[in-house]
Amino acid sequence: MSKQKIIHPDRDAAFVTGAYSDGVIAGGFLFISGQASVDFKTSTFILGTIEEETARTMDNIKAIIEAAGATMDDVVKSTVHLSNISDFDRFNHIYATYFAGIKPARTTVQSVLAEGICVEIDCIVKLPAAYE
């Protein structure tokens, strides 16, 4: 099986976030690692309200998806980690705006998150037929 690494288009080459790729294409799918409220140009986490962090996180996911040649409509599954599950409704309101039509399957849990962030999201994306 071959794999292809996908990098956030704004990632500063010196910004090292861990032993993982932003995304990996394999078997016609794009697997996006847990994304957060990060400014990839300045290599910094941007903390804020759950709404602000969700929007920035989803924008980062969207940029990675588009870098792989897909769209948000191609997301089939996501896993969401919230630092405070009581933020669920406020998170969900912003998250839902990123998807038209059928929403992806999703799991949402409360987790202890690094860097003081409120939300971390990973996704699985079914790529267009050209990748199969």
Side-chain angles (χ1 to χ4, degrees):
M1 172 185 70
S2 67
K3 298 189 294 186
Q4 178 184 348
K5 181 178 180 177
I6 301 296
I7 300 170
H8 189 290
D10 293 333
R11 179 180 280 279
D12 181 325
F15 185 33
V16 178
T17 51
Y20 59 87
S21 300
D22 295 340
V24 174
I25 294 174
F29 288 88
L30 168 63
F31 300 88
I32 299 177
S33 63
Q35 297 299 309
S37 183
V38 174
D39 181 338
F40 281 95
K41 291 179 183 175
T42 63
S43 307
T44 57
F45 288 90
I46 308 297
L47 304 182
T49 66
I50 187 65
E51 294 89 351
E52 292 165 339
E53 288 194 31
T54 299
R56 181 176 292 274
T57 300
M58 294 301 291
D59 288 344
N60 284 337
I61 289 169
K62 183 178 179 186
I64 294 166
I65 289 170
E66 290 175 351
T71 71
M72 294 298 284
D73 288 336
D74 298 314
V75 177
V76 294
K77 173 72 169 82
S78 67
T79 303
V80 177
H81 297 266
L82 298 175
S83 64
N84 185 345
I85 201 68
S86 67
D87 288 338
F88 178 84
D89 289 339
R90 293 168 45 215
F91 150 79
N92 197 53
H93 176 73
I94 302 301
Y95 174 91
T97 66
Y98 283 82
F99 301 102
I102 298 172
K103 308 291 190 264
R106 183 181 79 196
T107 301
T108 304
V109 297
Q110 180 170 310
S111 300
V112 175
L113 300 174
E115 307 293 337
I117 60 175
C118 295
V119 62
E120 182 174 340
I121 303 169
D122 66 70
C123 294
I124 300 172
V125 180
K126 178 65 175 104
L127 295 171
Y131 285 91
E132 293 180 3

